[in-house]
Amino acid sequence: MAGAAVENGGEDKRAAEGGMNADESPYSEGDRVMIPLHSLIYEAKIEKSAFDSKNGWKYFVHYMGWNKKYDEWMPYASLKKFDDSVKLTKPRQQGAQQKKRKREVSDEDFENMCKVSLPTLMKNKLVEEWDAITRDGKLIDLPKTKEATVGQILAQFEELVESREPWPEICSGLKGYFNKTLKTMLLYPQEREQADKLLKGKTLPSDVYGAEHLVRLFLKLPAILPYTNLNEESLVALVARLQSIVTFIKEQAATLYDEL
């Protein structure tokens, strides 16, 4: 387990370094790439690329076999070089009479489709938080600085993807879920008194809390998303986009997380 963490960390570091070289793009237009999502891997094609000094290379990708409405910008770190030996996930054919929410997969498979994969860094942070809060009686320092709140994290990400549809709707929806579920799903018992003091009047959780609690929401999504009116194709596309937000948080971890 520890060896895997070290290996993944090195992989992430190499990826970050490669994606920050403004003189040479790691991928070219027309390249086939792979986009991992939990236990699924999707084939995509690079349509165009762009570079900015803060976040490095990003790529506008088309998911092979999927409707063009799912085309989107993805950061370099979310892409993998194409490998013919890897088993890829193929789009499910939608019948003309198929109704929303009709599922042809088991409940277990459907739940797996709703899972957002967390990098080792975030998993380790979650464990550290649980230990510090539930065993040592510590609390995350709140409210967060304005730049590190959930609302601002999502606003910065939306700016990164140039507010292209459907990102504004996704970021707004994610913030709405966060505000509605914080007290009921995202707090440890030891944090409830702190929340009651902070969330008085019209104060929203997204203006007080930061990455630590937003990441907890990603863990709870398998219990939330099955109750939305999304069919399988739309659900998979949504989770893939949420994965991009997770990658963004990981890349900004040094400034978003506080030490306990």
Side-chain angles (χ1 to χ4, degrees):
M1 181 75 71
V6 172
E7 181 179 338
N8 289 342
E11 216 171 86
D12 290 342
K13 182 178 180 181
R14 288 193 296 272
E17 291 173 348
M20 293 302 293
N21 182 357
D23 296 326
E24 183 178 358
S25 170
Y27 298 110
S28 302
E29 292 182 16
D31 281 357
R32 296 164 70 193
V33 294
M34 300 185 301
I35 300 179
L37 171 61
H38 194 57
S39 58
L40 308 176
I41 301 177
Y42 297 88
E43 178 185 358
K45 183 176 74 171
I46 303 292
E47 298 285 340
K48 52 186 175 181
S49 61
F51 181 87
D52 72 70
S53 58
K54 182 178 179 181
N55 298 292
W57 285 100
K58 61 179 180 178
Y59 299 89
F60 190 70
V61 301
H62 169 67
Y63 293 93
M64 304 303 291
W66 293 84
N67 192 300
K68 281 187 172 292
K69 67 181 180 180
Y70 297 116
D71 293 1
E72 62 180 334
W73 285 99
M74 295 288 284
Y76 168 74
S78 295
L79 310 182
K80 303 294 182 185
K81 289 185 178 180
F82 190 81
D83 185 344
D84 286 311
S85 66
V86 174
K87 183 179 179 180
L88 300 170
T89 301
K90 300 296 183 182
R92 184 180 295 276
Q93 295 298 318
Q94 304 291 318
Q97 301 302 318
Q98 186 180 31
K99 297 179 181 179
K100 282 186 178 182
R101 304 292 296 114
K102 179 180 179 182
R103 303 210 298 265
E104 298 178 2
V105 295
S106 68
D107 288 341
E108 182 180 354
D109 287 340
F110 191 77
E111 183 176 320
N112 285 334
M113 290 170 60
C114 297
K115 289 182 178 178
V116 177
S117 181
L118 297 181
T120 301
L121 168 69
M122 291 183 178
K123 292 178 181 177
N124 290 343
K125 288 286 187 183
L126 285 169
V127 173
E128 291 171 7
E129 288 167 22
W130 178 86
D131 195 55
I133 293 169
T134 64
R135 292 186 176 182
D136 299 336
K138 297 180 180 180
L139 291 174
I140 294 171
D141 190 20
L142 297 172
K144 286 282 193 174
T145 60
K146 183 178 179 180
E147 294 76 15
T149 62
V150 169
Q152 191 60 26
I153 291 171
L154 295 175
Q156 290 172 358
F157 177 81
E158 199 174 322
E159 182 180 347
L160 173 65
V161 295
E162 301 172 353
S163 297
R164 181 179 177 274
E165 295 294 342
W167 285 115
E169 181 181 356
I170 290 175
C171 290
S172 176
L174 191 61
K175 183 164 69 172
Y177 274 126
F178 182 82
N179 288 331
K180 290 178 181 178
T181 62
L182 177 89
K183 281 194 170 184
T184 57
M185 300 179 70
L186 308 182
L187 297 178
Y188 297 121
Q190 295 84 352
E191 296 176 304
R192 288 172 184 161
E193 182 179 350
Q194 181 190 41
D196 289 338
K197 293 178 180 178
L198 290 168
L199 302 176
K200 293 181 179 179
K202 296 182 179 180
T203 303
L204 295 174
S206 57
D207 294 329
V208 175
Y209 290 81
E212 296 90 348
H213 290 82
L214 179 56
V215 170
R216 296 182 200 177
L217 175 60
F218 289 117
L219 285 181
K220 297 292 184 180
L221 288 178
I224 298 173
L225 292 181
Y227 297 96
T228 62
N229 292 322
L230 297 174
N231 58 29
E232 291 174 35
E233 181 180 354
S234 298
L235 182 62
V236 169
L238 172 62
V239 173
R241 289 184 166 94
L242 293 175
Q243 199 70 56
S244 298
I245 298 177
V246 169
T247 300
F248 174 76
I249 294 173
K250 183 193 74 172
E251 292 172 348
Q252 307 295 324
T255 58
L256 295 179
Y257 280 94
D258 292 327
E259 294 295 330
L260 281 174

